[in-house]
Amino acid sequence: MGAIAALLIPFFGLIVIGYAAARITKQPAEALGWLNTFIIYAALPALFFKLVSRTPLEELTRIDFIAADVIATYSIFVLIFAAGKLLRGNSTADSTIQGFAGAYGNIGYMGPGLALLAFGEAAAVPVALVVCFENAMHFIVAPAMMAISGGEKRAAPQLALDILRKVALHPFILSCAAGFAVVAGGIPVPVSMQRLVDYLAQAAAPCALFAMGVTLALRPLRRVPAEMFYIVPAKLILHPLVVYLVLTSVGTFPPIWIASSVLLAALPTATNVFVIGQQYAVWQERASATILMTTICSVVTVSMTLYLLKLSPLAAQLPP
């Protein structure tokens, strides 16, 4: 546990520093704009390009791993959606945001940095695959579900085109596609470009975690929604457990791939869930509260997830 604490304290410490900076300086939300732009359009894409472009092609085409991970994640989405719709009597739109709150982890901001710190460079491929394909699915499912609920006003052809454009042109997807092209085509990357990518990639985790802390400070917890009492345990406990069970039951995946996917599943709710709620004017305040609560609770649950992974049958093939 001492080694796990040494890993997590600096990691969550960056979130705390960002939170404290926002509370002390009282900068407006708009002040975060350029930092978020740098993270989303430069630092994280550079990190994903670096991870993918230095990976053997055969490891990038594990469709079985991608399918198993997405199925496990969306089983949580369906479960929470059904709970909101059938048990709580919420609307389809509200239940959709709740489903994302339980299944959409902070895999972009927190995932790469934490997984690489915990498991080393061997975690690069599964992290890149999970981030790209889960994000792509979320970008497709969110507007589709809102169209079903009646909250999406665009015509079906326009909606389909906008979804395709959003997926194809997202910086994370583009950077991974560029990395894949480099590997598949055997294209040499000039040393100067490698150095630029490395500089940007090194900034990804610190900047993303600091920005996350600032974002949490700007969205204070005003009330605890009733749905949080099943969404929080579903996101932080059930989601990684289901991912572990699915990945260990189907296929023969490397232990570090399984551990990396489980760790990403254990991460708190993504801030993008609030963005989706804000976009459609649905469940916004409660989404913000869920992000804050899952992030606070994840200090304990992510520690326990790492500890249990060290005790699991995978431990023999994980880094000490």
Side-chain angles (χ1 to χ4, degrees):
M1 286 300 292
I4 292 171
L7 169 68
L8 292 179
I9 288 173
F11 196 83
F12 283 101
L14 285 165
I15 298 176
V16 173
I17 291 171
Y19 184 93
R23 301 293 287 181
I24 292 169
T25 64
K26 301 188 183 302
Q27 294 286 334
E30 293 76 14
L32 193 59
W34 283 111
L35 179 59
N36 278 329
T37 299
F38 171 74
I39 294 165
I40 294 170
Y41 289 93
L44 283 172
L47 176 60
F48 294 134
F49 174 80
K50 175 183 176 180
L51 298 181
V52 173
S53 66
R54 300 177 187 181
T55 300
L57 182 61
E58 61 272 13
E59 294 187 6
L60 296 174
T61 53
R62 291 294 302 266
I63 304 300
D64 52 348
F65 173 79
I66 295 164
D69 175 81
V70 170
I71 288 170
T73 291
Y74 269 85
S75 69
I76 302 299
F77 175 88
V78 170
L79 178 66
I80 300 301
F81 177 88
K85 187 74 173 171
L86 302 178
L87 298 182
R88 298 284 302 166
N90 297 138
S91 67
T92 297
D94 279 355
S95 300
T96 296
I97 304 301
Q98 292 173 37
F100 281 122
Y104 193 169
N106 208 323
I107 52 178
Y109 272 29
M110 298 178 70
L114 182 54
L116 292 173
L117 281 173
F119 305 124
E121 287 293 327
V125 181
V127 167
L129 293 177
V130 169
V131 170
C132 285
F133 284 93
E134 282 197 13
N135 272 314
M137 280 297 297
H138 299 327
F139 299 155
I140 294 169
V141 171
M145 291 300 294
M146 290 305 171
I148 292 171
S149 73
E152 179 58 72
K153 305 304 181 184
R154 288 170 289 181
Q158 183 62 46
L159 175 62
L161 183 61
D162 287 347
I163 292 173
L164 180 61
R165 185 185 299 115
K166 185 173 183 179
V167 172
L169 298 180
H170 193 279
F172 295 175
I173 308 298
L174 285 174
S175 59
C176 288
F180 184 87
V182 166
V183 175
I187 303 170
V189 179
V191 174
S192 58
M193 182 60 66
Q194 289 183 17
R195 288 177 178 170
L196 175 61
V197 168
D198 287 342
Y199 289 153
L200 289 170
Q202 288 167 10
C207 290
L209 294 170
F210 178 88
M212 184 179 173
V214 173
T215 302
L216 292 174
L218 296 175
R219 297 178 191 150
L221 180 63
R222 294 186 175 89
R223 68 187 180 110
V224 179
E227 297 88 351
M228 191 177 297
F229 292 102
Y230 59 82
I231 292 176
V232 172
K235 179 69 206 75
L236 300 179
I237 300 173
L238 185 60
H239 188 186
L241 177 60
V242 169
V243 168
Y244 177 83
L245 293 175
V246 170
L247 292 183
T248 53
S249 299
V250 300
T252 53
F253 306 120
I256 285 185
W257 284 42
I258 297 173
S260 299
S261 189
V262 169
L263 180 58
L264 265 60
L267 295 177
T269 302
T271 53
N272 275 349
V273 175
F274 173 80
V275 174
I276 295 170
Q278 190 175 49
Q279 179 182 354
Y280 295 100
V282 173
W283 219 68
Q284 299 172 66
E285 184 179 332
R286 287 172 287 180
S288 179
T290 304
I291 293 164
L292 178 59
M293 288 304 300
T294 54
T295 301
I296 293 170
C297 294
S298 69
V299 177
V300 175
T301 57
V302 169
S303 301
M304 290 308 301
T305 298
L306 284 168
Y307 180 71
L308 291 173
L309 284 171
K310 298 294 185 181
L311 296 179
S312 74
L314 306 175
Q317 298 185 55
L318 296 179

